[in-house]
Amino acid sequence: MAPTNRDIVQHAWRTFSEHDTGKISAVFTDDAEWLAPDGNATAVALGVPSHMIGSESIARFIADDFPRLFARDVTVTFTGFYEAGDRVIVEETMRATLANGNAYVNDYCFVFELRDGLIHRVREYMDTARGHRMVFGEAP
């Protein structure tokens, strides 16, 4: 039996935690996009775009850039996985210790769009003001 879109996204999350760019890139289409809110704290702190294009760019962010900010104790608690056709919606809470030693806790919602068994687009939503307070000590 072929994996469901939900299975594909759950596998992707496990792959993300391995920080292996080749494995991460393989779960995305070559022309994949990852869209997060403009000016979000992660993008600002790391000096990376909030709209990434291409599987290799996304994989480098997850494997190399993300751990520079979220330095240790990264945990993700999933509170919902919903599948509707080619879309999978994931609700989660992420906790981590930031590179500056601050604690980070924020809620996220991701909308994954799949094509031919691979992730084609991810839209990421979070409390951006809360993220700025934890990363920079202030709201944007």
Side-chain angles (χ1 to χ4, degrees), residues 12-85:
W13 276 109
R14 288 189 299 274
T15 302
F16 297 166
S17 69
E18 295 178 27
H19 300 287
D20 180 313
T21 56
K23 288 181 180 179
I24 295 168
S25 182
V27 303
F28 291 95
T29 62
D30 289 341
D31 61 344
E33 295 180 78
W34 190 300
L35 299 97
D38 285 337
N40 72 78
T42 301
V44 171
L46 293 171
V48 299
S50 57
H51 181 184
M52 294 173 281
I53 300 172
S55 60
E56 291 181 13
S57 175
I58 295 167
R60 277 193 307 275
F61 169 78
I62 294 170
D64 301 331
D65 294 328
F66 181 88
R68 289 190 297 126
L69 181 61
F70 301 96
R72 62 185 185 284
D73 309 319
V74 178
T75 60
V76 174
T77 304
F78 296 103
T79 55
F81 267 92
Y82 312 95
E83 182 179 353

Side-chain angles (χ1 to χ4, degrees), residues 37-139:
D38 285 337
N40 72 78
T42 301
V44 171
L46 293 171
V48 299
S50 57
H51 181 184
M52 294 173 281
I53 300 172
S55 60
E56 291 181 13
S57 175
I58 295 167
R60 277 193 307 275
F61 169 78
I62 294 170
D64 301 331
D65 294 328
F66 181 88
R68 289 190 297 126
L69 181 61
F70 301 96
R72 62 185 185 284
D73 309 319
V74 178
T75 60
V76 174
T77 304
F78 296 103
T79 55
F81 267 92
Y82 312 95
E83 182 179 353
D86 65 351
R87 286 184 169 79
V88 177
I89 299 168
V90 178
E91 295 177 295
E92 68 169 53
T93 299
M94 186 179 80
R95 291 175 171 75
T97 301
L98 299 172
N100 64 11
N102 290 350
Y104 183 90
V105 180
N106 211 349
D107 297 316
Y108 290 81
C109 180
F110 296 89
V111 180
F112 288 83
E113 297 176 31
L114 288 91
R115 183 177 72 203
D116 301 326
L118 297 171
I119 299 166
H120 174 64
R121 183 174 294 117
V122 181
R123 288 178 283 132
E124 175 182 353
Y125 304 93
M126 85 288 283
D127 183 338
T128 55
R130 183 177 187 184
H132 271 268
R133 284 191 304 273
M134 287 180 281
V135 172
F136 301 111
E138 59 189 58

